[in-house]
Amino acid sequence: MKNYNWGIIGLGNIANTFARGLSFIPNARVFAVASRSLEKAISFAQKYDAPFAYGSYEEMMQNPDINIIYIATPHALHYENTMMCLDHGFPVLCEKAFAINAREVKEMVDKSRTKKVFLMEAFWTRFLPSMHILMDLINSNTIGEIKLVRADFGIKGAVDPKNRLYDNNLGGGSLLDVGIYPVFLALFVLGIPDNIEAVATIGKTQVDENCGMLFHYKDGPVASLFSSIVARTGIEAEIIGENGRIVLNSLFFCPTSLSIYKDDKLVKTIQPEYYGNGYNYEAVEAMNCLEKNLIESKTMSLDFSIKLIETLDRIRNKCGLYYPLHDKKA
């Protein structure tokens, strides 16, 4: 595999985590970074030995030696940032949530497929060894027919209207930031629900502070999901079958262990082998796709990303959660 020069747009906490992930990949490096603040870009570039730092995203588009761009800006900017990169012919790995709503995601996907330029949602959990093991356990009928998926993801920090989590204009709230993980797991295990029930606590800044979701499937299973930015939960997940259950131990969205229970007795705990910080797996997947001249990943397909955002839209509609700067165009 050739060496890959990564560009990074948006230089917050998650960009730092991703950049550290690249350090575990011998043929990948942080090559160019861009922020609306040149000072921030220079500082980030120095931290990761990147040769290029830009004070605007547009300026970075002029660097022909970038092989792929990772987008780590707030949700509300994913659409415009991705479209800009695709228009300039750059392959894109864009953070989840892929965009604010299905309309935006579908336009991103259409652009990728029309221009034949690689695009993938950076849903890092999907590429972790734990997810591959989980699917193997389900496919091998370890716990029998799946009856219930239960997952929660709640965090608690200071209530700050200036924080992006509380900013409606930036796509704030629990659902798109952390609730997306339980929703992903339900889709991963059970597929698209036939019916959705959902309720949310909409706070003073018009974002969902709590969100409870119940998915119904016509052949019987249900998924019980919860997210919060005002209450810390166990951040665990269970897949419950007719003959036992599989627990994705806390923190279930991270590199973690899996426990198998039969008749409420622990049968086995599996500790997958991991390397790096977890973000390296999605980067390797993107690079492997580029090596094969693919414009999308089979593991995290664009069609799956569309189904995920459509499900999030359905939940928001049930909860009365809207992002006027984006949803008014829907």
Side-chain angles (χ1 to χ4, degrees):
M1 182 185 287
K2 73 175 188 180
N3 293 324
Y4 281 84
N5 293 329
W6 282 83
I8 301 179
I9 288 178
L11 305 179
N13 291 335
I14 201 163
N16 276 276
T17 303
F18 182 81
R20 289 194 296 272
L22 290 183
S23 70
F24 295 98
I25 308 171
N27 54 326
R29 65 166 174 166
V30 181
F31 180 73
V33 301
S35 171
R36 295 302 184 191
S37 163
L38 179 58
E39 182 180 358
K40 186 175 184 178
I42 292 173
S43 176
F44 193 100
Q46 291 175 340
K47 185 176 181 180
Y48 297 103
D49 296 322
F52 295 95
Y54 300 100
S56 77
Y57 306 150
E58 295 80 8
E59 190 178 1
M60 195 171 84
M61 297 297 102
Q62 307 309 312
N63 189 326
D65 296 321
I66 297 171
N67 300 121
I68 182 170
I69 293 175
Y70 170 68
I71 295 174
T73 51
H75 311 316
L77 300 176
H78 288 176
Y79 169 79
E80 64 178 79
N81 295 158
T82 296
M83 297 295 272
M84 175 182 65
C85 291
L86 294 175
D87 277 331
H88 284 85
F90 287 110
V92 172
L93 176 64
C94 179
E95 254 310 321
K96 57 85 194 157
F98 219 4
I100 291 292
N101 55 40
R103 176 189 60 81
E104 293 182 345
V105 168
K106 288 175 181 178
E107 289 186 20
M108 290 157 57
V109 170
D110 287 345
K111 177 76 72 174
S112 165
R113 290 172 172 170
T114 299
K115 294 183 70 70
K116 293 181 169 52
V117 179
F118 176 80
L119 174 63
M120 188 176 86
E121 185 173 8
F123 209 105
W124 72 302
T125 302
R126 176 62 184 90
F127 305 98
L128 297 176
S130 53
M131 286 297 108
H132 299 294
I133 292 172
L134 173 62
M135 192 48 61
D136 287 343
L137 290 172
I138 292 173
N139 290 338
S140 62
N141 206 36
T142 302
I143 58 172
E145 184 179 344
I146 305 301
K147 299 296 184 180
L148 171 66
V149 171
R150 185 202 61 77
D152 63 80
F153 197 145
I155 57 177
K156 187 180 189 309
V159 178
D160 180 5
K162 296 180 181 178
N163 186 294
R164 68 171 183 83
L165 286 176
Y166 289 89
D167 191 337
N168 181 284
N169 292 332
L170 293 180
S174 76
L175 181 62
L176 295 189
D177 204 75
V178 294
I180 191 172
Y181 288 101
V183 173
F184 157 80
L185 186 65
L187 295 189
F188 182 65
V189 174
L190 294 174
I192 302 171
D194 294 288
N195 294 296
I196 293 175
E197 297 176 40
V199 293
T201 304
I202 308 298
K204 294 180 180 179
T205 62
Q206 299 305 305
V207 302
D208 65 300
E209 296 179 354
N210 291 313
C211 187
M213 299 151 273
L214 189 63
F215 291 1
H216 300 262
Y217 295 84
K218 62 183 179 182
D219 49 351
V222 297
S224 176
L225 316 171
F226 178 76
S227 63
S228 178
I229 55 173
V230 294
R232 178 67 156 82
T233 68
I235 313 183
E236 290 185 337
E238 289 183 294
I239 293 83
I240 301 169
E242 57 187 347
N243 300 320
R245 59 193 172 99
I246 301 167
V247 177
L248 293 172
N249 296 308
S250 186
L251 306 162
F252 82 84
F253 69 100
C254 288
T256 188
S257 61
L258 302 88
S259 295
I260 303 170
Y261 292 83
K262 297 285 184 71
D263 297 323
D264 274 340
K265 295 181 180 179
L266 176 62
V267 175
K268 183 180 183 181
T269 293
I270 302 171
Q271 181 63 61
E273 292 186 10
Y274 296 100
Y275 77 97
N277 67 352
Y279 279 70
N280 42 292
Y281 291 101
E282 63 182 0
V284 168
E285 171 70 11
M287 291 161 58
N288 284 336
C289 289
L290 294 181
E291 283 289 303
K292 299 173 184 176
N293 295 313
L294 301 176
I295 65 168
E296 66 178 283
S297 164
K298 294 180 180 179
T299 303
M300 185 71 189
S301 71
L302 295 176
D303 285 339
F304 184 91
S305 289
I306 290 173
K307 293 173 183 177
L308 177 57
I309 195 68
E310 285 179 337
T311 303
L312 294 169
D313 279 359
R314 290 171 66 188
I315 294 167
R316 290 203 293 117
N317 286 337
K318 289 285 185 178
C319 295
L321 173 61
Y322 302 106
Y323 299 108
L325 293 183
H326 298 259
D327 294 330
K328 65 182 180 183
K329 301 177 183 177

